[in-house]
């Protein structure tokens, strides 16, 4: 158990809908990262937040957005969902924003299925 | 950092044998190289973060080396055990992004 929690574990929804995935980082960690793992692609970095501020953006679609709240939990919002958005979404956390120096701890993931 | 290659894609090793695999990456804009171990139905677990050319890290029977000038890292597993069966991911990071390789899937035969 990494100490990172994600809810829900599973989510089934329909195309065109909007969902929110939630992540609570490990106690003391200020950085939150979101990743997408789909069948045809490897683990893709989406976005990084540090202490409430967006720090880096990866391959995140415009239909997706994220935020980190004052209590440091983060939410990833996925809208206008398409079949191709079906994937495993991971959240990870680390202590500082210096991801090049430190370990990221991954949560258990949220499996999203868009029908 | 655009292209990360891991080889081989998969590997079957006899229990007790030692093995190694490679991560290749462009050496420009490089900040660090992360190695993760990912077991089926679990989440990725960090093994090492390496930043300096010539870095060597060790954790039990697993070790890694880093060559930033030529853009590669090796992961070694000594005396493979069934619990080593997993996918091993490498991920070079720059100041603005981290890119994961597709991994080497390791299976240990008893």
């Amino acid at each position: 158990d990494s100490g990172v929690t994600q809810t829900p574990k599973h989510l089934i929804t329909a195309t065109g809908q909007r969902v929110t995935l939630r992540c609570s980082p490990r106690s003391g960690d200020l950085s939150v990262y979101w990743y997408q793992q789909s069948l045809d692609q490897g683990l893709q970095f989406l976005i990084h937040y540090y202490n409430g501020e967006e720090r880096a953006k990866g391959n995140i679609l415009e239909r997706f957005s994220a935020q980190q709240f004052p209590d440091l939990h983060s939410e990833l919002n996925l809208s206008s969902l398409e079949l191709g958005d079906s994937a495993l979404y991971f959240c990870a956390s680390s202590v500082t924003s210096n991801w090049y120096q430190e370990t990221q701890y991954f949560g258990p993931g949220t499996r999203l299925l868009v029908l | 950092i655009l292209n990360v290659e891991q080889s081989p894609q998969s590997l079957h090793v006899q229990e007790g044998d030692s093995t190694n695999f490679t991560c290749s990456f462009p050496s420009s804009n490089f900040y660090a190289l992360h190695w993760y171990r990912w077991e089926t139905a679990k989440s990725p677990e960090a093994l090492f973060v390496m930043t300096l050319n010539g870095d060597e890290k060790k954790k039990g029977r697993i070790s890694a080396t880093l060559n930033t000038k030529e853009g590669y890292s090796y992961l070694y597993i000594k005396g493979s055990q069934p619990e080593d069966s997993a996918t091993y991911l490498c991920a070079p990071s720059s100041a603005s992004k981290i890119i994961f390789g597709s991994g080497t899937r390791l299976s240990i035969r008893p």
Side-chain angles (χ1 to χ4, degrees), chain A residues 50-65:
Chain A
Y50 172 73
N51 204 20
E53 289 186 10
E54 181 186 306
R55 282 299 181 97
K57 252 184 177 175
N59 301 325
I60 188 165
L61 300 172
E62 282 191 16
R63 300 183 285 108
F64 296 1
S65 65

Side-chain angles (χ1 to χ4, degrees), chain B residues 24-53:
Chain B
S24 301
F25 54 90
S27 51
S28 58
N29 297 320
F30 170 88
Y31 272 55
L33 193 284
H34 305 247
W35 278 102
Y36 284 87
R37 182 171 172 274
W38 194 358
E39 288 182 72
T40 305
K42 294 191 177 178
S43 47
E45 176 195 349
L47 289 173
F48 307 114
V49 181
M50 297 187 288
T51 56
L52 299 175
N53 185 43

Side-chain angles (χ1 to χ4, degrees), chain B residues 15-31:
Chain B
E15 183 178 348
D17 286 352
S18 296
T19 187
N20 65 85
F21 22 94
T22 308
C23 171
S24 301
F25 54 90
S27 51
S28 58
N29 297 320
F30 170 88
Y31 272 55

Side-chain angles (χ1 to χ4, degrees), chain A residues 4 9 13 18 31-34 49 56 58 68 73 76 80 88 115:
Chain A
V4 178
K9 273 193 168 178
T13 188
R18 173 190 167 95
S31 267
V32 169
Y33 312 84
W34 285 98
Y49 275 84
Q68 186 180 27
H73 91 271
L76 180 67
S80 303
L88 188 52
L115 299 175

Side-chain angles (χ1 to χ4, degrees), chain B:
Chain B
I1 295 173
L2 293 176
N3 210 16
V4 183
E5 291 185 8
Q6 289 191 249
S7 61
Q9 277 192 327
S10 64
L11 198 49
H12 298 266
V13 173
Q14 197 69 36
E15 183 178 348
D17 286 352
S18 296
T19 187
N20 65 85
F21 22 94
T22 308
C23 171
S24 301
F25 54 90
S27 51
S28 58
N29 297 320
F30 170 88
Y31 272 55
L33 193 284
H34 305 247
W35 278 102
Y36 284 87
R37 182 171 172 274
W38 194 358
E39 288 182 72
T40 305
K42 294 191 177 178
S43 47
E45 176 195 349
L47 289 173
F48 307 114
V49 181
M50 297 187 288
T51 56
L52 299 175
N53 185 43
D55 247 357
E56 289 188 29
K57 298 259 179 162
K58 190 174 178 185
K59 189 176 182 177
R61 294 177 293 97
I62 304 177
S63 60
T65 60
L66 178 65
N67 183 322
T68 60
K69 292 185 193 263
E70 295 181 39
Y72 64 84
S73 176
Y74 293 133
L75 190 81
Y76 301 91
I77 301 179
K78 190 176 174 183
S80 304
Q81 298 297 309
E83 59 264 29
D84 296 328
S85 294
T87 296
Y88 291 83
L89 301 174
C90 73
S93 59
S94 67
S96 58
K97 60 176 66 175
I98 183 168
I99 298 184
F100 282 79
S102 52
T104 292
R105 186 185 297 272
L106 177 65
S107 298
I108 308 299
R109 292 190 295 256

